[in-house]
Amino acid sequence: MTVQEKPLQNFNISTFQNDLLDWYYANKRDLPWRNDQDPYKVWVSEIMLQQTKVDTVIPYFNNFIEKFPTVYDLAVADEQAVLKAWEGLGYYSRARNLQTAVREVVENYGGQVPDDPNQLEGLKGIGSYTKGAILSIAFNKPEPAVDGNVMRVFSRVLNIDEDIALPKTKKLFESVTREIISQEDPSSFNQAIMDLGATICTPKSPSCLLCPVQEHCEAFTLGVEEQLPIKSKAKKNKKIPYVVLLLKDKTGKIAIEKRPEDGLLANLWQFPMVPLQEVTIDLLENWFYAQYGLRIRLGQKLGDLKHVFSHLTWNLEIVEAKLFEESSEENCLIFVDKEKELKDYPFPVSHQKMMQYL
Ligand code: SF4
């Protein structure tokens, strides 16, 4: 049954709010971005929390705020330093967009994170969820902040069987939240739903017996909580094979290159990657000369790694190689000392893992 067929008037909004908020006030998680309501910190935390678990985010958040404590510090920071602070968190466009948006806040809004929905949504990297999270958590405005966790909780509480992978379903949950959200304490309300989804109403085996809103939950009453939410399968994940070269020059320095300015992992550094969709391994040395102007000799294979992104997977074969003919021509590789210099560059996780083979 959908919420359109069964409107919210049968749902006791005020007792739901009270039960949820009483539980939250007594049990809220102690998280570093909850120490104050600084909108910049709320913003940084919400960007980091996209696609990433709370426990992973905490040390990154503390380090990031120590390095860039205000919008002004982040606005003037070197992009490579920002990427270094983000190294290992993944989805690096989040960091670049955050810095772009923070610069806009400094230039256009006098360094104050705006509390106007349209101005906030106009900033790079801020979608409807982050906008709602900043407005509610930092500015205490009754705005919905709906992500997958929130849709899971409300799918179950209200027994809504709409496909949460569809944009129109997100809109539906935003309008539901707008009606249910506490007007007195919207900041705590949204954080309470987030905490409930993270700790009690989990994707698998929700802890219904401990749940503070169990008596409001239709899925629990009907025994269908494990069947909700409905989510259609994402598109097939494409697999792309590469050889990654751990290429050393005569002095033992190791070759790295910067990724392009746009697209996946933009501006991060990596060991040279050879796409096996373009060349077979027996012709790889020639391909490398054509691409980089450097003569190399392949050595032995050192291992395999797989790295899964949301839309594609890299299958990485790690092979050692030696440079045997220097070139005076310009190329995009640089050779760095593996003990001293390598750690100064931001690398994606897959390439960080390869450093064990050096
Ligand atoms: Fe989720 Fe169970 Fe609570 Fe319903 S009763 S909100 S399914 S934990």
Side-chain angles (χ1 to χ4, degrees):
M1 189 176 284
T2 68
V3 79
Q4 291 98 326
E5 292 159 7
K6 183 180 66 79
L8 277 171
Q9 52 255 36
N10 296 331
F11 184 75
N12 192 327
I13 292 176
S14 69
T15 58
F16 175 82
Q17 289 173 348
N18 290 340
D19 291 344
L20 180 70
L21 287 172
D22 285 349
W23 170 80
Y24 177 72
Y25 297 141
N27 297 286
K28 66 177 162 186
R29 292 178 291 173
D30 182 18
L31 302 172
W33 47 90
R34 287 182 175 169
N35 293 340
D36 56 51
Q37 283 184 299
D38 179 347
Y40 167 64
K41 290 182 193 156
V42 172
W43 183 7
V44 171
S45 72
E46 288 300 335
I47 298 292
M48 285 187 169
L49 286 163
Q50 289 167 12
Q51 324 277 352
T52 313
K53 290 199 171 81
V54 166
D55 290 348
T56 308
V57 165
I58 289 173
Y60 278 95
F61 174 83
N62 288 332
N63 176 51
F64 198 89
I65 292 298
E66 200 183 306
K67 286 203 162 66
F68 316 112
T70 67
V71 286
Y72 298 103
D73 301 299
L74 184 56
V76 298
D78 181 59
E79 189 199 66
Q80 291 286 299
V82 177
L83 289 174
K84 189 71 193 165
W86 209 272
E87 186 183 63
L89 260 187
Y91 301 95
Y92 298 89
S93 57
R94 294 182 297 175
R96 283 188 299 272
N97 290 343
L98 176 64
Q99 192 181 28
T100 305
V102 157
R103 285 177 175 157
E104 210 180 313
V105 165
V106 169
E107 277 164 31
N108 298 344
Y109 301 115
Q112 301 296 314
V113 178
D115 63 355
D116 174 87
N118 294 328
Q119 289 177 341
L120 260 186
E121 212 165 17
L123 296 171
K124 201 154 189 192
I126 296 198
S128 64
Y129 169 78
T130 311
K131 176 189 70 172
I134 295 171
L135 288 173
S136 59
I137 297 172
F139 296 111
N140 214 27
K141 296 195 172 204
E143 285 286 323
V146 171
D147 66 355
N149 283 317
V150 174
M151 288 197 277
R152 180 176 64 254
V153 173
F154 282 132
S155 285
R156 288 170 173 169
V157 170
L158 299 166
N159 188 26
I160 294 175
D161 58 6
E162 302 283 323
D163 180 359
I164 63 165
L166 300 176
K168 73 174 172 91
T169 308
K170 189 171 181 194
K171 292 247 174 303
L172 167 69
F173 280 105
E174 283 172 349
S175 71
V176 166
T177 309
R178 227 174 251 291
E179 292 194 46
I180 300 179
I181 194 167
S182 160
Q183 300 296 314
E184 290 74 38
D185 192 355
S187 172
S188 297
F189 182 93
N190 276 349
Q191 292 181 87
I193 294 288
M194 291 171 193
D195 279 17
L196 190 71
T199 60
I200 305 258
C201 195
T202 47
K204 291 196 182 115
S205 311
S207 307
C208 300
L209 298 179
L210 303 173
C211 179
V213 296
Q214 185 206 90
E215 68 177 70
H216 306 274
C217 180
E218 199 160 331
F220 177 74
T221 307
L222 298 169
V224 297
E225 66 275 6
E226 302 251 14
Q227 290 152 40
L228 291 170
I230 304 292
K231 186 175 181 189
S232 58
K233 288 249 175 334
K235 273 201 230 121
K236 228 173 159 220
N237 188 294
K238 199 163 118 200
K239 298 191 171 37
I240 308 183
Y242 288 96
V243 165
V244 184
L245 295 174
L246 299 187
L247 170 63
K248 289 183 183 157
D249 69 8
K250 291 195 180 98
T251 66
K253 287 190 168 182
I254 185 91
I256 60 173
E257 65 182 346
K258 198 175 191 185
R259 290 186 60 82
E261 275 184 18
D262 296 310
L264 186 67
L265 306 173
N267 285 346
L268 292 179
W269 289 77
Q270 65 179 20
F271 304 109
M273 290 176 66
V274 180
L276 289 178
Q277 288 173 328
E278 285 183 27
V279 59
T280 53
I281 197 137
D282 49 326
L283 295 173
L284 194 150
E285 291 168 352
N286 290 343
W287 180 94
F288 198 84
Y289 181 67
Q291 294 290 323
Y292 293 91
L294 295 173
R295 293 277 181 202
I296 62 165
R297 277 272 180 278
L298 290 188
Q300 60 174 332
K301 178 173 164 176
L302 301 171
D304 290 293
L305 265 177
K306 187 157 114 171
H307 193 79
V308 181
F309 298 94
S310 55
H311 57 303
L312 58 87
T313 298
W314 281 351
N315 287 328
L316 307 170
E317 202 177 313
I318 302 145
V319 176
E320 64 177 1
K322 281 216 169 1
L323 184 70
F324 77 94
E325 190 180 290
E326 308 269 348
S327 162
S328 53
E329 283 173 37
E330 277 280 295
N331 69 69
C332 53
L333 292 182
I334 61 168
F335 285 83
V336 295
D337 185 290
K338 71 176 195 287
E339 307 297 339
K340 293 192 202 119
E341 296 162 292
L342 200 57
K343 63 177 181 340
D344 296 336
Y345 295 85
F347 282 84
V349 169
S350 51
H351 285 249
Q352 278 178 292
K353 286 185 187 160
M354 284 170 213
M355 292 180 192
Q356 63 177 300
Y357 295 109
L358 289 175

